[in-house]
Structures are given as C-alpha cells and as structure tokens.
Short mmCIF file of all heavy atoms in Angstrom, two decimals:
data_model
loop_
_atom_site.label_atom_id
_atom_site.label_comp_id
_atom_site.label_asym_id
_atom_site.label_seq_id
_atom_site.Cartn_x
_atom_site.Cartn_y
_atom_site.Cartn_z
N ILE I 67 0.83 -1.19 0.00
CA ILE I 67 0.00 0.00 0.00
C ILE I 67 0.88 1.25 0.00
O ILE I 67 0.65 2.16 -0.78
CB ILE I 67 -0.94 0.01 1.23
CG1 ILE I 67 -1.98 -1.10 1.05
CG2 ILE I 67 -1.65 1.35 1.35
CD1 ILE I 67 -2.91 -1.24 2.23
N ILE I 68 1.87 1.30 0.88
CA ILE I 68 2.72 2.50 0.98
C ILE I 68 3.51 2.76 -0.30
O ILE I 68 3.52 3.88 -0.78
CB ILE I 68 3.65 2.40 2.21
CG1 ILE I 68 2.86 2.33 3.50
CG2 ILE I 68 4.62 3.58 2.26
CD1 ILE I 68 2.06 3.57 3.82
N PRO I 69 4.19 1.75 -0.88
CA PRO I 69 4.94 2.04 -2.11
C PRO I 69 4.04 2.53 -3.25
O PRO I 69 4.44 3.41 -4.01
CB PRO I 69 5.59 0.71 -2.47
CG PRO I 69 5.70 -0.01 -1.17
CD PRO I 69 4.49 0.42 -0.39
N ASN I 70 2.84 1.99 -3.35
CA ASN I 70 1.92 2.46 -4.41
C ASN I 70 1.52 3.90 -4.17
O ASN I 70 1.43 4.69 -5.11
CB ASN I 70 0.67 1.57 -4.47
CG ASN I 70 0.99 0.21 -5.09
OD1 ASN I 70 1.94 0.09 -5.84
ND2 ASN I 70 0.19 -0.78 -4.76
N PHE I 71 1.27 4.26 -2.90
CA PHE I 71 0.91 5.64 -2.58
C PHE I 71 2.05 6.58 -2.94
O PHE I 71 1.83 7.65 -3.50
CB PHE I 71 0.56 5.76 -1.09
CG PHE I 71 0.35 7.17 -0.65
CD1 PHE I 71 -0.81 7.85 -1.00
CD2 PHE I 71 1.32 7.84 0.09
CE1 PHE I 71 -1.02 9.16 -0.61
CE2 PHE I 71 1.12 9.15 0.49
CZ PHE I 71 -0.05 9.81 0.13
N ILE I 72 3.27 6.17 -2.61
CA ILE I 72 4.43 7.01 -2.93
C ILE I 72 4.58 7.17 -4.43
O ILE I 72 4.86 8.27 -4.92
CB ILE I 72 5.71 6.42 -2.28
CG1 ILE I 72 5.60 6.53 -0.75
CG2 ILE I 72 6.95 7.15 -2.78
CD1 ILE I 72 6.74 5.86 -0.02
N ASN I 73 4.40 6.09 -5.17
CA ASN I 73 4.50 6.18 -6.64
C ASN I 73 3.43 7.10 -7.21
O ASN I 73 3.70 7.92 -8.10
CB ASN I 73 4.40 4.79 -7.26
CG ASN I 73 5.64 3.97 -7.03
OD1 ASN I 73 6.72 4.50 -6.83
ND2 ASN I 73 5.50 2.65 -7.05
N VAL I 74 2.20 6.98 -6.73
CA VAL I 74 1.11 7.83 -7.23
C VAL I 74 1.39 9.29 -6.85
O VAL I 74 1.24 10.20 -7.68
CB VAL I 74 -0.25 7.36 -6.65
CG1 VAL I 74 -1.35 8.37 -6.94
CG2 VAL I 74 -0.61 6.00 -7.21
N PHE I 75 1.82 9.52 -5.61
CA PHE I 75 2.12 10.87 -5.15
C PHE I 75 3.27 11.47 -5.96
O PHE I 75 3.24 12.64 -6.33
CB PHE I 75 2.46 10.84 -3.66
CG PHE I 75 2.62 12.18 -3.03
CD1 PHE I 75 1.53 13.02 -2.89
CD2 PHE I 75 3.85 12.62 -2.59
CE1 PHE I 75 1.65 14.27 -2.31
CE2 PHE I 75 4.00 13.87 -2.02
CZ PHE I 75 2.90 14.69 -1.87
N THR I 76 4.28 10.65 -6.25
CA THR I 76 5.43 11.11 -7.05
C THR I 76 4.98 11.54 -8.43
O THR I 76 5.38 12.61 -8.91
CB THR I 76 6.48 9.99 -7.16
OG1 THR I 76 6.89 9.62 -5.86
CG2 THR I 76 7.67 10.41 -7.98
N SER I 77 4.14 10.75 -9.07
CA SER I 77 3.69 11.10 -10.42
C SER I 77 2.73 12.29 -10.40
O SER I 77 2.71 13.10 -11.33
CB SER I 77 3.04 9.90 -11.10
OG SER I 77 1.90 9.49 -10.38
N LEU I 78 1.92 12.44 -9.34
CA LEU I 78 1.02 13.58 -9.24
C LEU I 78 1.77 14.89 -9.12
O LEU I 78 1.38 15.90 -9.73
CB LEU I 78 0.08 13.43 -8.03
CG LEU I 78 -1.09 12.48 -8.19
CD1 LEU I 78 -1.86 12.37 -6.89
CD2 LEU I 78 -2.01 12.96 -9.30
N ILE I 79 2.84 14.90 -8.35
CA ILE I 79 3.62 16.12 -8.16
C ILE I 79 4.44 16.43 -9.41
O ILE I 79 4.72 17.58 -9.69
CB ILE I 79 4.50 15.99 -6.91
CG1 ILE I 79 3.62 15.95 -5.68
CG2 ILE I 79 5.47 17.14 -6.80
CD1 ILE I 79 4.37 15.85 -4.39
N GLY I 80 4.84 15.43 -10.14
CA GLY I 80 5.58 15.66 -11.37
C GLY I 80 7.01 15.17 -11.34
O GLY I 80 7.77 15.43 -12.26
N PHE I 81 7.38 14.46 -10.29
CA PHE I 81 8.72 13.89 -10.23
C PHE I 81 8.74 12.58 -11.02
O PHE I 81 7.73 11.89 -11.12
CB PHE I 81 9.13 13.61 -8.78
CG PHE I 81 9.42 14.86 -7.99
CD1 PHE I 81 8.48 15.38 -7.12
CD2 PHE I 81 10.63 15.51 -8.12
CE1 PHE I 81 8.74 16.53 -6.40
CE2 PHE I 81 10.90 16.66 -7.41
CZ PHE I 81 9.95 17.17 -6.55
N GLN I 82 9.89 12.25 -11.54
CA GLN I 82 9.97 11.03 -12.35
C GLN I 82 10.28 9.80 -11.50
O GLN I 82 9.84 8.71 -11.84
CB GLN I 82 11.02 11.21 -13.45
CG GLN I 82 10.61 12.29 -14.42
CD GLN I 82 11.29 12.14 -15.75
OE1 GLN I 82 12.08 11.25 -15.96
NE2 GLN I 82 10.96 13.03 -16.66
N THR I 83 11.05 9.99 -10.43
CA THR I 83 11.38 8.85 -9.58
C THR I 83 11.15 9.22 -8.12
O THR I 83 11.08 10.38 -7.76
CB THR I 83 12.86 8.41 -9.76
OG1 THR I 83 13.69 9.49 -9.38
CG2 THR I 83 13.15 8.02 -11.20
N ARG I 84 11.06 8.17 -7.30
CA ARG I 84 10.86 8.39 -5.87
C ARG I 84 12.06 9.09 -5.25
O ARG I 84 11.91 9.89 -4.33
CB ARG I 84 10.58 7.07 -5.16
CG ARG I 84 9.21 6.53 -5.45
CD ARG I 84 8.97 5.29 -4.65
NE ARG I 84 9.71 4.19 -5.26
CZ ARG I 84 9.78 2.98 -4.77
NH1 ARG I 84 9.17 2.68 -3.66
NH2 ARG I 84 10.45 2.05 -5.39
N SER I 85 13.24 8.77 -5.74
CA SER I 85 14.43 9.39 -5.17
C SER I 85 14.43 10.90 -5.40
O SER I 85 14.86 11.67 -4.54
CB SER I 85 15.70 8.76 -5.74
OG SER I 85 15.77 8.95 -7.14
N ASN I 86 13.95 11.32 -6.57
CA ASN I 86 13.84 12.77 -6.82
C ASN I 86 12.84 13.42 -5.88
O ASN I 86 13.05 14.55 -5.44
CB ASN I 86 13.43 13.02 -8.27
CG ASN I 86 14.52 12.68 -9.26
OD1 ASN I 86 15.67 12.52 -8.87
ND2 ASN I 86 14.17 12.58 -10.52
N LEU I 87 11.77 12.71 -5.56
CA LEU I 87 10.79 13.23 -4.61
C LEU I 87 11.42 13.39 -3.24
O LEU I 87 11.23 14.42 -2.58
CB LEU I 87 9.58 12.29 -4.53
CG LEU I 87 8.53 12.66 -3.48
CD1 LEU I 87 7.83 13.95 -3.86
CD2 LEU I 87 7.55 11.53 -3.30
N VAL I 88 12.19 12.41 -2.81
CA VAL I 88 12.84 12.48 -1.51
C VAL I 88 13.81 13.65 -1.46
O VAL I 88 13.83 14.42 -0.49
CB VAL I 88 13.56 11.15 -1.19
CG1 VAL I 88 14.43 11.28 0.06
CG2 VAL I 88 12.54 10.02 -1.01
N ILE I 89 14.59 13.81 -2.51
CA ILE I 89 15.53 14.94 -2.57
C ILE I 89 14.78 16.26 -2.54
O ILE I 89 15.17 17.21 -1.85
CB ILE I 89 16.44 14.83 -3.82
CG1 ILE I 89 17.38 13.63 -3.66
CG2 ILE I 89 17.24 16.11 -4.03
CD1 ILE I 89 18.16 13.30 -4.92
N GLY I 90 13.68 16.35 -3.27
CA GLY I 90 12.88 17.56 -3.28
C GLY I 90 12.31 17.88 -1.90
O GLY I 90 12.34 19.04 -1.46
N ILE I 91 11.82 16.86 -1.22
CA ILE I 91 11.28 17.06 0.13
C ILE I 91 12.37 17.51 1.08
O ILE I 91 12.18 18.43 1.89
CB ILE I 91 10.58 15.77 0.63
CG1 ILE I 91 9.30 15.54 -0.16
CG2 ILE I 91 10.29 15.86 2.12
CD1 ILE I 91 8.64 14.21 0.11
N ILE I 92 13.54 16.90 0.98
CA ILE I 92 14.66 17.29 1.84
C ILE I 92 15.06 18.74 1.57
O ILE I 92 15.31 19.51 2.51
CB ILE I 92 15.86 16.34 1.64
CG1 ILE I 92 15.53 14.97 2.24
CG2 ILE I 92 17.12 16.90 2.27
CD1 ILE I 92 16.54 13.90 1.93
N LEU I 93 15.09 19.15 0.31
CA LEU I 93 15.44 20.52 -0.03
C LEU I 93 14.42 21.51 0.55
O LEU I 93 14.79 22.58 1.06
CB LEU I 93 15.55 20.70 -1.54
CG LEU I 93 16.79 20.10 -2.18
CD1 LEU I 93 16.73 20.22 -3.69
CD2 LEU I 93 18.04 20.76 -1.65
N VAL I 94 13.15 21.17 0.47
CA VAL I 94 12.11 22.05 1.02
C VAL I 94 12.27 22.15 2.54
O VAL I 94 12.16 23.25 3.12
CB VAL I 94 10.71 21.53 0.64
CG1 VAL I 94 9.62 22.24 1.44
CG2 VAL I 94 10.47 21.71 -0.85
N ILE I 95 12.54 21.05 3.20
CA ILE I 95 12.72 21.05 4.65
C ILE I 95 13.93 21.91 5.03
O ILE I 95 13.86 22.72 5.96
CB ILE I 95 12.86 19.61 5.20
CG1 ILE I 95 11.52 18.90 5.09
CG2 ILE I 95 13.35 19.62 6.64
CD1 ILE I 95 11.58 17.41 5.39
N VAL I 96 15.03 21.77 4.30
CA VAL I 96 16.23 22.57 4.57
C VAL I 96 15.94 24.05 4.35
O VAL I 96 16.38 24.91 5.13
CB VAL I 96 17.41 22.09 3.70
CG1 VAL I 96 18.56 23.08 3.74
CG2 VAL I 96 17.87 20.72 4.14
N LEU I 97 15.18 24.38 3.31
CA LEU I 97 14.82 25.77 3.04
C LEU I 97 13.97 26.34 4.17
O LEU I 97 14.21 27.47 4.63
CB LEU I 97 14.07 25.87 1.72
CG LEU I 97 13.61 27.27 1.31
CD1 LEU I 97 14.81 28.17 1.07
CD2 LEU I 97 12.75 27.19 0.07
N ILE I 98 13.01 25.58 4.66
CA ILE I 98 12.16 26.03 5.76
C ILE I 98 12.99 26.25 7.02
O ILE I 98 12.84 27.26 7.72
CB ILE I 98 11.01 25.04 6.00
CG1 ILE I 98 10.02 25.10 4.84
CG2 ILE I 98 10.30 25.32 7.32
CD1 ILE I 98 8.97 24.01 4.86
N ILE I 99 13.88 25.30 7.32
CA ILE I 99 14.74 25.44 8.50
C ILE I 99 15.62 26.68 8.38
O ILE I 99 15.78 27.45 9.34
CB ILE I 99 15.60 24.18 8.71
CG1 ILE I 99 14.70 23.01 9.13
CG2 ILE I 99 16.69 24.41 9.73
CD1 ILE I 99 15.40 21.67 9.15
N THR I 100 16.16 26.92 7.20
CA THR I 100 17.01 28.09 6.98
C THR I 100 16.23 29.39 7.20
O THR I 100 16.72 30.33 7.84
CB THR I 100 17.59 28.07 5.55
OG1 THR I 100 18.31 26.86 5.37
CG2 THR I 100 18.51 29.25 5.31
N LEU I 101 15.01 29.44 6.68
CA LEU I 101 14.19 30.64 6.87
C LEU I 101 13.85 30.86 8.34
O LEU I 101 13.89 31.99 8.84
CB LEU I 101 12.92 30.54 6.03
CG LEU I 101 13.12 30.67 4.52
CD1 LEU I 101 11.82 30.39 3.78
CD2 LEU I 101 13.66 32.02 4.15
N LEU I 102 13.52 29.78 9.05
CA LEU I 102 13.20 29.91 10.47
C LEU I 102 14.41 30.38 11.27
O LEU I 102 14.29 31.25 12.15
CB LEU I 102 12.69 28.58 11.02
CG LEU I 102 11.29 28.17 10.55
CD1 LEU I 102 10.96 26.76 11.04
CD2 LEU I 102 10.25 29.16 11.00
N LEU I 103 15.58 29.84 10.96
CA LEU I 103 16.79 30.26 11.66
C LEU I 103 17.13 31.72 11.36
O LEU I 103 17.61 32.45 12.23
CB LEU I 103 17.96 29.35 11.30
CG LEU I 103 17.89 27.94 11.88
CD1 LEU I 103 19.04 27.08 11.34
CD2 LEU I 103 17.90 27.96 13.39
N THR I 104 16.87 32.15 10.13
CA THR I 104 17.09 33.54 9.77
C THR I 104 16.19 34.46 10.58
O THR I 104 16.63 35.52 11.06
CB THR I 104 16.84 33.76 8.27
OG1 THR I 104 17.71 32.90 7.53
CG2 THR I 104 17.08 35.20 7.86
N LEU I 105 14.93 34.07 10.76
CA LEU I 105 14.02 34.87 11.59
C LEU I 105 14.49 34.94 13.03
O LEU I 105 14.47 36.01 13.66
CB LEU I 105 12.61 34.27 11.54
CG LEU I 105 11.85 34.46 10.23
CD1 LEU I 105 10.55 33.68 10.25
CD2 LEU I 105 11.59 35.92 9.98
N ILE I 106 14.95 33.81 13.56
CA ILE I 106 15.43 33.78 14.94
C ILE I 106 16.65 34.67 15.10
O ILE I 106 16.75 35.45 16.06
CB ILE I 106 15.73 32.33 15.38
CG1 ILE I 106 14.43 31.53 15.48
CG2 ILE I 106 16.49 32.29 16.68
CD1 ILE I 106 14.64 30.04 15.65
N ILE I 107 17.57 34.60 14.15
CA ILE I 107 18.78 35.43 14.22
C ILE I 107 18.42 36.91 14.15
O ILE I 107 19.00 37.73 14.86
CB ILE I 107 19.76 35.04 13.09
CG1 ILE I 107 20.36 33.68 13.38
CG2 ILE I 107 20.85 36.09 12.91
CD1 ILE I 107 21.18 33.11 12.25
N SER I 108 17.45 37.26 13.30
CA SER I 108 17.04 38.65 13.20
C SER I 108 16.45 39.15 14.52
O SER I 108 16.76 40.27 14.95
CB SER I 108 16.01 38.79 12.08
OG SER I 108 15.55 40.11 11.99
N GLU I 109 15.63 38.35 15.15
CA GLU I 109 15.07 38.74 16.45
C GLU I 109 16.15 38.88 17.50
O GLU I 109 16.14 39.83 18.30
CB GLU I 109 14.03 37.71 16.90
CG GLU I 109 12.77 37.69 16.07
CD GLU I 109 11.85 36.54 16.43
OE1 GLU I 109 12.14 35.81 17.41
OE2 GLU I 109 10.84 36.36 15.73
N GLN I 110 17.10 37.97 17.50
CA GLN I 110 18.20 38.03 18.47
C GLN I 110 19.05 39.27 18.25
O GLN I 110 19.54 39.89 19.19
CB GLN I 110 19.06 36.77 18.40
CG GLN I 110 18.36 35.52 18.87
CD GLN I 110 17.95 35.60 20.31
OE1 GLN I 110 18.70 36.08 21.15
NE2 GLN I 110 16.76 35.12 20.61
N LYS I 111 19.25 39.63 16.99
CA LYS I 111 20.03 40.83 16.68
C LYS I 111 19.36 42.06 17.27
O LYS I 111 20.03 42.92 17.86
CB LYS I 111 20.18 40.97 15.17
CG LYS I 111 20.99 42.16 14.74
CD LYS I 111 21.09 42.24 13.23
CE LYS I 111 21.79 43.50 12.81
NZ LYS I 111 21.82 43.66 11.36
N GLN I 112 18.06 42.14 17.13
CA GLN I 112 17.33 43.28 17.70
C GLN I 112 17.44 43.30 19.22
O GLN I 112 17.60 44.36 19.83
CB GLN I 112 15.85 43.23 17.28
CG GLN I 112 15.62 43.45 15.81
CD GLN I 112 16.11 44.80 15.34
OE1 GLN I 112 15.99 45.80 16.03
NE2 GLN I 112 16.69 44.84 14.15
N ARG I 113 17.37 42.14 19.85
CA ARG I 113 17.50 42.07 21.30
C ARG I 113 18.90 42.48 21.75
O ARG I 113 19.06 43.15 22.77
CB ARG I 113 17.17 40.66 21.79
CG ARG I 113 15.69 40.33 21.66
CD ARG I 113 15.37 38.97 22.17
NE ARG I 113 15.53 38.96 23.62
CZ ARG I 113 15.59 37.86 24.34
NH1 ARG I 113 15.50 36.69 23.75
NH2 ARG I 113 15.72 37.92 25.64
N ILE I 114 19.91 42.09 21.00
CA ILE I 114 21.28 42.46 21.33
C ILE I 114 21.46 43.98 21.23
O ILE I 114 22.09 44.60 22.09
CB ILE I 114 22.29 41.71 20.43
CG1 ILE I 114 22.32 40.24 20.82
CG2 ILE I 114 23.68 42.33 20.50
CD1 ILE I 114 23.10 39.37 19.86
N ILE I 115 20.91 44.57 20.20
CA ILE I 115 21.01 46.03 20.04
C ILE I 115 20.34 46.73 21.22
O ILE I 115 20.88 47.68 21.79
CB ILE I 115 20.38 46.47 18.70
CG1 ILE I 115 21.26 46.01 17.55
CG2 ILE I 115 20.19 47.99 18.66
CD1 ILE I 115 20.66 46.20 16.18
N LEU I 116 19.16 46.25 21.61
CA LEU I 116 18.46 46.84 22.76
C LEU I 116 19.28 46.69 24.04
O LEU I 116 19.40 47.64 24.82
CB LEU I 116 17.09 46.18 22.93
CG LEU I 116 16.24 46.68 24.09
CD1 LEU I 116 15.88 48.14 23.88
CD2 LEU I 116 15.00 45.83 24.23
N LEU I 117 19.87 45.52 24.25
CA LEU I 117 20.69 45.31 25.44
C LEU I 117 21.93 46.21 25.44
O LEU I 117 22.31 46.74 26.49
CB LEU I 117 21.12 43.85 25.53
CG LEU I 117 20.04 42.87 25.98
CD1 LEU I 117 20.54 41.44 25.83
CD2 LEU I 117 19.64 43.14 27.41
N MET I 118 22.53 46.40 24.28
CA MET I 118 23.70 47.29 24.20
C MET I 118 23.31 48.72 24.56
O MET I 118 24.05 49.41 25.27
CB MET I 118 24.29 47.25 22.79
CG MET I 118 25.05 45.97 22.49
SD MET I 118 25.60 45.75 20.77
CE MET I 118 26.05 47.34 20.25
N GLN I 119 22.14 49.14 24.11
CA GLN I 119 21.68 50.48 24.44
C GLN I 119 21.42 50.62 25.94
O GLN I 119 21.77 51.63 26.55
CB GLN I 119 20.42 50.81 23.64
CG GLN I 119 20.69 50.98 22.16
CD GLN I 119 19.42 51.10 21.34
OE1 GLN I 119 18.32 50.85 21.83
NE2 GLN I 119 19.57 51.46 20.08
N GLU I 120 20.80 49.60 26.52
CA GLU I 120 20.52 49.65 27.95
C GLU I 120 21.81 49.67 28.77
O GLU I 120 21.92 50.41 29.75
CB GLU I 120 19.66 48.45 28.36
CG GLU I 120 18.23 48.54 27.87
CD GLU I 120 17.41 47.31 28.22
OE1 GLU I 120 17.96 46.37 28.84
OE2 GLU I 120 16.21 47.30 27.89
N VAL I 121 22.78 48.88 28.37
CA VAL I 121 24.06 48.86 29.08
C VAL I 121 24.74 50.22 28.98
O VAL I 121 25.30 50.72 29.96
CB VAL I 121 24.97 47.72 28.53
CG1 VAL I 121 26.40 47.87 29.02
CG2 VAL I 121 24.42 46.37 28.92
N SER I 122 24.69 50.81 27.82
CA SER I 122 25.30 52.14 27.65
C SER I 122 24.62 53.17 28.55
O SER I 122 25.30 54.00 29.17
CB SER I 122 25.19 52.59 26.20
OG SER I 122 25.97 51.77 25.37
N LEU I 123 23.31 53.13 28.63
CA LEU I 123 22.60 54.06 29.51
C LEU I 123 22.97 53.82 30.97
O LEU I 123 23.18 54.77 31.73
CB LEU I 123 21.09 53.92 29.31
CG LEU I 123 20.53 54.45 28.00
CD1 LEU I 123 19.07 54.06 27.84
CD2 LEU I 123 20.71 55.95 27.91
N LEU I 124 23.05 52.57 31.36
CA LEU I 124 23.42 52.26 32.74
C LEU I 124 24.85 52.69 33.05
O LEU I 124 25.13 53.20 34.14
CB LEU I 124 23.23 50.77 33.02
CG LEU I 124 21.78 50.30 33.09
CD1 LEU I 124 21.73 48.78 33.17
CD2 LEU I 124 21.06 50.92 34.26
N LYS I 125 25.75 52.50 32.11
CA LYS I 125 27.13 52.95 32.31
C LYS I 125 27.19 54.46 32.48
O LYS I 125 27.92 54.97 33.33
CB LYS I 125 28.01 52.53 31.13
CG LYS I 125 28.44 51.10 31.16
CD LYS I 125 29.38 50.80 30.00
CE LYS I 125 29.90 49.39 30.07
NZ LYS I 125 30.85 49.10 28.98
N ASN I 126 26.40 55.17 31.70
CA ASN I 126 26.37 56.63 31.84
C ASN I 126 25.81 57.04 33.19
O ASN I 126 26.29 57.99 33.80
CB ASN I 126 25.56 57.26 30.71
CG ASN I 126 26.33 57.34 29.42
OD1 ASN I 126 27.56 57.32 29.43
ND2 ASN I 126 25.63 57.42 28.31
N LYS I 127 24.78 56.35 33.66
CA LYS I 127 24.20 56.66 34.96
C LYS I 127 25.21 56.42 36.08
O LYS I 127 25.35 57.22 37.01
CB LYS I 127 22.95 55.83 35.22
CG LYS I 127 21.74 56.35 34.48
CD LYS I 127 20.50 55.56 34.87
CE LYS I 127 19.30 56.04 34.08
NZ LYS I 127 18.08 55.35 34.47
N ILE I 128 25.95 55.33 35.98
CA ILE I 128 26.98 55.02 36.99
C ILE I 128 28.07 56.08 36.96
O ILE I 128 28.52 56.56 37.99
CB ILE I 128 27.56 53.60 36.76
CG1 ILE I 128 26.51 52.54 37.08
CG2 ILE I 128 28.81 53.38 37.59
CD1 ILE I 128 26.93 51.14 36.70
N LYS I 129 28.47 56.47 35.77
CA LYS I 129 29.50 57.50 35.62
C LYS I 129 29.04 58.81 36.23
O LYS I 129 29.81 59.51 36.93
CB LYS I 129 29.82 57.67 34.13
CG LYS I 129 30.96 58.57 33.84
CD LYS I 129 31.20 58.60 32.33
CE LYS I 129 32.32 59.53 31.99
NZ LYS I 129 32.52 59.59 30.52
N ASP I 130 27.77 59.17 36.01
CA ASP I 130 27.21 60.41 36.57
C ASP I 130 27.12 60.33 38.08
O ASP I 130 27.33 61.33 38.78
CB ASP I 130 25.84 60.71 35.97
CG ASP I 130 25.92 61.14 34.51
OD1 ASP I 130 27.03 61.55 34.06
OD2 ASP I 130 24.90 61.06 33.81
N LEU I 131 26.78 59.19 38.62
CA LEU I 131 26.65 59.03 40.06
C LEU I 131 28.02 59.10 40.77
O LEU I 131 28.08 59.53 41.91
CB LEU I 131 25.97 57.71 40.42
CG LEU I 131 24.47 57.62 40.12
CD1 LEU I 131 23.97 56.21 40.35
CD2 LEU I 131 23.69 58.61 40.95
N ARG I 132 29.06 58.69 40.09
CA ARG I 132 30.39 58.72 40.70
C ARG I 132 30.95 60.14 40.74
O ARG I 132 31.86 60.42 41.52
CB ARG I 132 31.36 57.83 39.91
CG ARG I 132 31.09 56.37 40.15
CD ARG I 132 32.11 55.50 39.48
NE ARG I 132 31.84 54.10 39.78
CZ ARG I 132 32.46 53.10 39.21
NH1 ARG I 132 33.39 53.34 38.30
NH2 ARG I 132 32.17 51.86 39.51
N LYS I 133 30.41 61.02 39.95
CA LYS I 133 30.90 62.41 39.94
C LYS I 133 30.45 63.19 41.12
O LYS I 133 29.70 63.09 41.90
CB LYS I 133 30.44 63.11 38.67
CG LYS I 133 31.19 62.65 37.44
CD LYS I 133 30.76 63.45 36.24
CE LYS I 133 31.54 62.98 35.03
NZ LYS I 133 31.16 63.70 33.85
#
C-alpha cells in the first residue's frame, strides 16, 4: 500500500522517480529550517542592540553618580 501511494504521489507532483521526490522534500525542509533560523537570528540581533543600548545608559548613569 505505501509504495503504491508514494509512486502515485510522485507522479502527481511531477517527479519522475521516488528518489527525486525524496531529494525535493529534503530541499524544502532545509529551506524552511534556513528561513526559520534567519528569523530567529534577526530577532536576536534586535535584542542584542536593545541590550547594548541599555548597558550604555546604565554605564552613563553610573559615571554620573560617581561624579
């Protein structure tokens, strides 16, 4: 049952062999993972910038208090 389903699914999508379907699925999964990691990195970059700004403000406050 499973091999027939895979063969029918492969021909419906337009791939010629099952191995091409597997490679295509793997490529799509890698692309999705890459996009998700890019989003995470972008969010982290924004958080780092905010933290740097907060640290700078705190350093200035400490410097002012020591005067």
Side-chain angles (χ1 to χ4, degrees):
I67 291 177
I68 298 295
N70 287 335
F71 173 74
I72 293 174
N73 287 335
V74 170
F75 188 68
T76 301
S77 62
L78 282 176
I79 292 181
F81 288 101
Q82 296 202 359
T83 62
R84 287 184 284 176
S85 61
N86 290 345
L87 175 68
V88 171
I89 291 171
I91 290 172
I92 290 171
L93 286 175
V94 168
I95 290 171
V96 168
L97 179 64
I98 290 171
I99 291 171
T100 303
L101 289 173
L102 289 174
L103 289 175
T104 302
L105 287 173
I106 292 170
I107 289 172
S108 178
E109 291 172 6
Q110 292 298 319
K111 181 181 175 184
Q112 293 300 322
R113 290 182 69 194
I114 289 171
I115 290 171
L116 180 64
L117 284 172
M118 286 172 37
Q119 291 172 348
E120 288 177 359
V121 167
S122 294
L123 289 172
L124 289 172
K125 281 184 176 182
N126 281 338
K127 283 185 182 183
I128 290 172
K129 187 178 178 182
D130 289 342
L131 288 173
R132 287 185 178 171
K133 286 184 179 180

